[in-house]
């Protein structure tokens, strides 16, 4: 695995700490997927789970889009991967999904999320189903979401080829 992540600093202001931890976790998922074939990225964890590394990448593209673009920025966008039809489509429908498309979409959603985040104060408020949701909360939630799924990615990667690491 190629690991070009920059560890978050031990000290800094709130925004820098939140951004650095989010970038660390984004990079961690990329590291966990590095060097694997499309078939390996599609490998499921264990029946009956639909969990795969490709599913995680697709899911996190959806998460980035939903929280930054839809909630924080108020954009009226469809959900990715036909999740309006099946909320778990990002995980379930990887057998014929393109890894390139998933990674390209994920990276584009990250790029757009960074731009939105950079332009808004931490106290900016978005709307999530009629409830106020701050930018700060979204950043913390994304860190938590990535951290949880990176734990899944650790187990998936070890199952696929025995590779472990932070």
């Amino acid at each position: 695995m190629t690991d070009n992540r920059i560890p978050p600093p031990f000290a800094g202001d709130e925004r820098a700490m939140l951004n650095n931890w989010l970038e660390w976790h984004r990079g961690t998922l990329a590291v966990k997927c590095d060097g694997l074939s499309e078939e390996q990225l599609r490998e499921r964890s264990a029946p009956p789970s639909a969990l795969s590394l490709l599913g995680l990448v697709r899911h996190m593209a959806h998460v980035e889009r939903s929280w930054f673009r839809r909630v924080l920025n108020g954009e009226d966008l469809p959900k990715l991967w036909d999740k309006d039809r099946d909320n778990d489509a990002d995980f379930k429908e990887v057998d014929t999904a393109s890894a390139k498309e998933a990674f390209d979409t994920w990276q584009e959603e990250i790029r757009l999320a960074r731009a939105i985040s950079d332009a808004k104060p931490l106290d900016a408020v978005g709307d999530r189903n009629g409830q106020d949701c701050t930018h700060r909360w979204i950043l913390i939630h994304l860190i938590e979401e990535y951290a949880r799924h990176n734990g899944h990615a650790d187990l998936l990667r070890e199952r696929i080829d025995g590779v472990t690491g932070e």
Side-chain angles (χ1 to χ4, degrees):
M1 294 185 299
T2 303
D3 188 351
N4 295 319
R5 295 173 300 162
I6 299 170
F10 290 112
D13 66 32
E14 180 183 19
R15 187 177 194 108
M17 295 300 281
L18 292 170
N19 286 337
N20 282 298
W21 274 107
L22 181 53
E23 290 303 323
W24 172 263
H25 283 293
R26 286 169 171 157
T28 298
L29 183 55
V31 165
K32 294 300 171 184
C33 296
D34 186 57
L36 297 177
S37 69
E38 196 156 301
E39 293 74 29
Q40 289 172 312
L41 291 167
R42 288 188 179 112
E43 283 188 34
R44 310 298 178 139
S45 59
S49 176
L51 194 63
S52 69
L53 288 169
L54 183 55
L56 287 173
V57 169
R58 288 164 46 100
H59 178 68
M60 293 313 298
H62 163 75
V63 168
E64 295 271 1
R65 178 186 188 110
S66 292
W67 285 105
F68 286 101
R69 295 178 67 196
R70 294 178 70 182
V71 173
L72 187 58
N73 215 37
E75 297 178 40
D76 184 18
L77 299 167
K79 293 179 179 178
L80 290 172
W81 322 121
D82 207 15
K83 285 177 68 71
D84 284 319
R85 179 188 48 77
D86 180 349
N87 196 48
D88 291 326
D90 45 356
F91 291 113
K92 289 181 184 175
E93 298 173 7
V94 298
D95 293 336
T96 58
S98 163
K100 180 180 180 343
E101 177 189 16
F103 280 87
D104 288 351
T105 300
W106 178 46
Q107 290 305 308
E108 178 64 6
E109 291 300 334
I110 289 172
R111 184 188 71 73
L112 293 166
R114 284 179 185 133
I116 291 165
S117 186
D118 288 348
K120 296 199 182 272
L122 293 176
D123 291 329
V125 175
D127 175 67
R128 177 155 194 265
N129 301 327
Q131 292 188 332
D132 288 348
C133 183
T134 67
H135 180 201
R136 178 182 287 103
W137 189 95
I138 291 168
L139 290 168
I140 292 167
H141 176 65
L142 266 282
I143 292 165
E144 172 273 326
E145 181 102 1
Y146 271 103
R148 183 166 38 95
H149 288 312
N150 284 337
H152 300 137
D154 281 337
L155 295 172
L156 285 161
R157 181 65 190 245
E158 185 175 10
R159 183 178 179 278
I160 291 166
D161 66 0
V163 172
T164 60
E166 189 176 326

